[in-house]
Structures are given as structure tokens and as C-alpha cells.
């Protein structure tokens, strides 16, 4: 049972435009959501997070939006840069539990074309 | 650099063998997590330790075991290896074992079972 889903395996965007990566989840107990970026031969790098008490969190070019009723979140990158080309993973956890183990989606490969 | 160190980077071994993967968490982090990433898959949570104690268990096979030592480094032991165990194994750490603190990942150990 895939509790966190990223339905787009890949996305191609022109440099300078907006990249929108989407993520859906099924477990209503999730209340903390994160995005990670992963380059080849490296581990995932934390990008940005959002708790369920918010619907938006912004950090520079990166903004995460959370729609709890739809169990959907998205990551917006504006403007996109070639260095943003990587695999992006969405992850979720339930803060109130005794563990903050993260459940990951399968990732979306973003290619930013110069 | 996430501050999480994993050794070795690559490991090639034969079916039926046993291997040990090692992880040193970031300075100050008490919790260690192990994840497995198979080809074209997301990161699957295996197990979490907090300050030497097992905190949470995921889809970890009985042939696999882990522990966290008093100096907080962790080892993941994989035994009776099968071809399907070939994967990237990531270690991550966080300040505490619960709450909204992101996980920080090492660069992984690539295990190839032949």
C-alpha cells in the first residue's frame, strides 16, 4: 500500500519557468510533510517542510502548498534553474507518534532545460 | 555535506554471504534510521534507533538486523544475502526521534549481490 504517491515519474521544464511537482497521500494521520532533492550518487537532501497547521511554506525559490482536504501537496520552484535538475521525493510522517520515520513517494525526475 | 557518514560506499558480495553496513550520525543527533532504495523504487523505511534503543520497525526482513552503539553509530547487518537484496542502503539521522525534525541522509552504500 503506497501511502505517499508521486504519480509523475518525470517532468521537463524550461529554465526560468515554474516547476510544479505534485504529491498525494492517503493516511489522514500524516501531519508533517517534507520535500527532498536527490542527485545521482548522493543521499537525499532536505529542501523544505510544512506542518498540517499551515497551508503554505516558502523558502527562497521553493514553496510548498498543502491541501489537507484533498490530501495533496505540491512543490513550486520559481524560477527553475538547470542546477535544480534532480529527483524530488515527497515524504510524510505523523508528528504525534513516537517516531518521525518518514514515508517516501517514489520520486519525480525534474529536468530543467537551459 | 549532511554530516552523516556511511561506509563502505560500494560492496559486492555473493549470495548467501553476510555484510555489515556502518553509519555515523551527525554530531548531536540521537536518532538513526535505515532506508533501502531498490531500482526505480522510493526509499523504504527499515528501522529506527533512538539513543541505543529500537524505536520503530518497518519492512525489515528477518535476515536483516541493526543496532545502535553507545557512541551512537549504527550498523546494519544483512545475512543470507539474495540477489534481490541488491540496492542502495541509506542511513539518516535526526536530533530527536519524534516531532517535526527533518532527517539528514548519508550518501548511501551500494550493495551488489552476485
Amino acid at each position: 500500500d503506497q501511502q505517499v504517491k508521486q504519480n509523475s515519474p518525470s517532468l521537463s521544464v524550461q529554465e526560468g519557468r515554474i516547476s510544479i511537482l505534485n504529491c498525494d497521500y492517503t493516511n489522514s494521520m500524516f501531519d508533517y510533510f517534507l520535500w527532498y532533492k536527490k542527485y545521482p550518487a548522493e543521499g537525499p537532501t532536505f529542501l523544505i517542510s510544512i506542518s498540517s497547521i499551515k497551508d503554505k511554506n516558502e523558502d527562497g525559490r521553493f514553496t510548498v502548498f498543502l491541501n489537507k482536504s484533498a490530501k495533496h501537496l505540491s512543490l513550486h520552484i520559481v524560477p527553475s534553474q538547470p542546477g535544480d535538475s534532480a529527483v524530488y521525493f515527497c515524504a510524510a510522517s505523523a508528528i504525534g507518534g513516537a517516531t518521525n520515520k518518514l514515508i517516501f513517494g517514489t520520486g519525480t525526475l525534474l529536468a530543467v532545460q537551459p | 555535506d549532511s554530516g552523516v557518514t556511511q561506509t563502505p560506499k560500494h560492496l559486492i558480495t555473493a549470495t548467501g554471504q553476510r555484510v555489515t553496513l556502518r553509519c555515523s550520525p551527525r554530531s548531536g543527533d540521537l536518532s538513526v534510521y535505515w532506508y533501502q532504495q531498490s531500482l526505480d523504487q522510493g526509499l523504504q523505511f527499515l528501522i529506527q534507533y533512538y539513543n541505543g534503543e529500537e524505536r520503530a520497525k518497518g519492512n525489515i526482513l528477518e535476515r536483516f538486523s541493526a543496532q545502535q552503539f553507545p557512541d551512537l553509530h549504527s550498523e546494519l547487518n544483512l545475512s543470507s544475502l539474495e540477489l534481490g537484496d541488491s540496492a542502495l542502503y541509506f542511513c539518516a539521522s535526526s536530533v530527536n526521534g519524534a516531532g517535526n525534525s527533518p532527517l539528514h541522509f548519508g550518501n548511501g552504500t551500494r550493495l551488489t549481490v552476485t
Side-chain angles (χ1 to χ4, degrees):
Chain A
D1 176 29
Q2 190 70 26
Q3 298 184 65
V4 178
K5 302 177 186 179
Q6 293 176 257
N7 293 319
S8 297
S10 63
L11 175 67
S12 182
V13 171
Q14 286 295 119
E15 181 178 4
R17 306 296 288 268
I18 184 171
S19 295
I20 300 177
L21 298 106
N22 293 302
C23 177
D24 298 295
Y25 62 96
T26 58
N27 190 338
S28 58
M29 298 300 291
F30 288 149
D31 53 7
Y32 181 52
F33 305 89
L34 308 89
W35 284 94
Y36 281 80
K37 177 169 73 172
K38 185 181 180 304
Y39 293 118
E42 294 184 11
T45 302
F46 169 69
L47 259 182
I48 191 168
S49 64
I50 187 168
S51 75
S52 59
I53 61 172
K54 293 186 171 184
D55 54 18
K56 175 182 173 182
N57 190 26
E58 199 170 347
D59 184 0
R61 296 186 298 113
F62 301 91
T63 303
V64 55
F65 295 92
L66 175 62
N67 182 333
K68 290 186 289 292
S69 61
K71 292 192 176 72
H72 176 84
L73 65 155
S74 61
L75 174 69
H76 292 209
I77 307 174
V78 183
S80 301
Q81 300 173 354
D84 296 329
S85 297
V87 177
Y88 288 78
F89 290 97
C90 168
S93 72
I95 296 178
T99 170
N100 63 337
K101 71 177 187 184
L102 299 180
I103 306 301
F104 282 83
T106 51
T108 296
L109 175 62
L110 173 65
V112 180
Q113 310 296 333
Chain B
D1 183 5
S2 67
V4 178
T5 304
Q6 288 188 248
T7 56
K9 288 185 180 178
H10 300 277
L11 202 47
I12 302 174
T13 189
T15 54
Q17 296 299 303
R18 172 190 167 96
V19 297
T20 298
L21 313 184
R22 183 187 167 101
C23 169
S24 294
R26 289 190 325 163
S27 176
D29 285 358
L30 297 178
S31 197
V32 169
Y33 307 74
W34 287 96
Y35 281 81
Q36 178 193 55
Q37 185 183 23
S38 302
L39 193 64
D40 296 332
Q41 297 290 311
L43 290 92
Q44 301 294 319
F45 170 72
L46 295 179
I47 198 164
Q48 177 200 0
Y49 282 84
Y50 175 76
N51 206 19
E53 300 289 327
E54 182 183 304
R55 175 67 68 91
K57 223 169 188 176
N59 299 323
I60 187 166
L61 300 172
E62 285 191 13
R63 300 183 285 108
F64 296 1
S65 65
Q67 60 184 129
Q68 186 180 27
F69 295 86
D71 67 352
L72 301 177
H73 91 271
S74 177
E75 292 182 356
L76 178 66
N77 301 296
L78 315 176
S79 61
S80 302
L81 285 167
E82 302 175 358
L83 295 177
D85 298 328
S86 296
L88 265 171
Y89 291 85
F90 288 103
C91 171
S93 69
S94 70
V95 170
N96 54 40
N100 56 349
S101 60
L103 275 59
H104 299 273
F105 284 80
N107 285 334
T109 293
R110 180 172 292 282
L111 173 66
T112 302
V113 182
T114 62

